[in-house]
Amino acid sequence: RPPRCTLFRFASRFRCANLVSSTSVSVSQSSTGWNGVASRAVDGNTDGIWGSSTCTHSSSASNNWWKVDLDEVSKINRVVIYGRTDCCGDRMANALVYAGEEFCGSVSYTAGQFIFSVECNGAVAGSVRIEQNYNYLTLCEVNIFGEPSDETPLVNLASGRGLPTSQTSVGWSGAASRAVDGRTHGNWT
């Protein structure tokens, strides 16, 4: 079982440290709205008030993602997301968290909640991605707790490679190839 991480920003004494900071990682996002650039999620500031200019913001209300490339391959134990505190906390509901290609879990939202923790259970990866397919994506800070690893990340060998697929029947144009097309958003269309 991977070591548990505390929610403290620097938890190295527990063999588990925050793996991101604005000076050491590359970040990107699907779109930028209202000047909410991707780097704001790793600026070290957890202030959830939009006017403080420390939160990201997508320009679209669907199919959004934010990604950070870590300095090195690491065992990811926990991803902690700080959301907005001035409004819109529910926008994080059902956001998906991935360590590389490995699904860690989805955000469970409770009214009034602004800090969200998703366990990745030691998934080995060189990046973390947060997806919000049904609302704007606004992140005020993202902490990724884990430790460097010499292990090789898991790779999806089927996704997007055009491999032959089959199934017993096809209904409503649900072709077997959709299962390995690389799209994970869950929307039928």
Side-chain angles (χ1 to χ4, degrees), residues 17 26 28 33 41 43 52 85 94 105 108 118 146 156 160 162 179 182:
S26 171
S28 56
D43 64 3
S52 297
T85 59
N94 303 311
S108 297
V118 176
N156 185 342

Side-chain angles (χ1 to χ4, degrees), residues 1-6 10-19 75 77 145-148:
R1 186 172 177 123
R4 289 291 172 203
C5 305
T6 68
F10 300 102
S12 58
R13 65 185 170 152
F14 298 102
R15 292 186 52 230
C16 192
N18 185 6
L19 300 172
K75 285 185 178 180
N77 294 319
F145 294 97
E147 57 190 327

Side-chain angles (χ1 to χ4, degrees), residues 156-166 176-183:
N156 185 342
L157 299 176
S159 180
R161 296 182 186 237
L163 298 173
T165 58
S166 63
S177 59
R178 286 185 174 184
V180 294
D181 65 4
R183 291 183 268 172

Side-chain angles (χ1 to χ4, degrees), residues 34-58:
W34 300 271
N35 296 315
V37 296
S39 60
R40 288 181 175 183
V42 292
D43 64 3
N45 191 337
T46 60
D47 187 342
I49 298 173
W50 175 253
S52 297
S53 299
T54 185
C55 301
T56 70
H57 204 303
S58 65

Side-chain angles (χ1 to χ4, degrees), residues 65-78:
W65 56 265
W66 177 90
K67 180 182 176 188
V68 58
D69 293 315
L70 303 173
D71 282 341
E72 57 190 320
V73 171
S74 300
K75 285 185 178 180
I76 310 299
N77 294 319
R78 176 183 292 167

Side-chain angles (χ1 to χ4, degrees), residues 27 60 104 125 161:
V27 292
S60 173
C104 295
R161 296 182 186 237

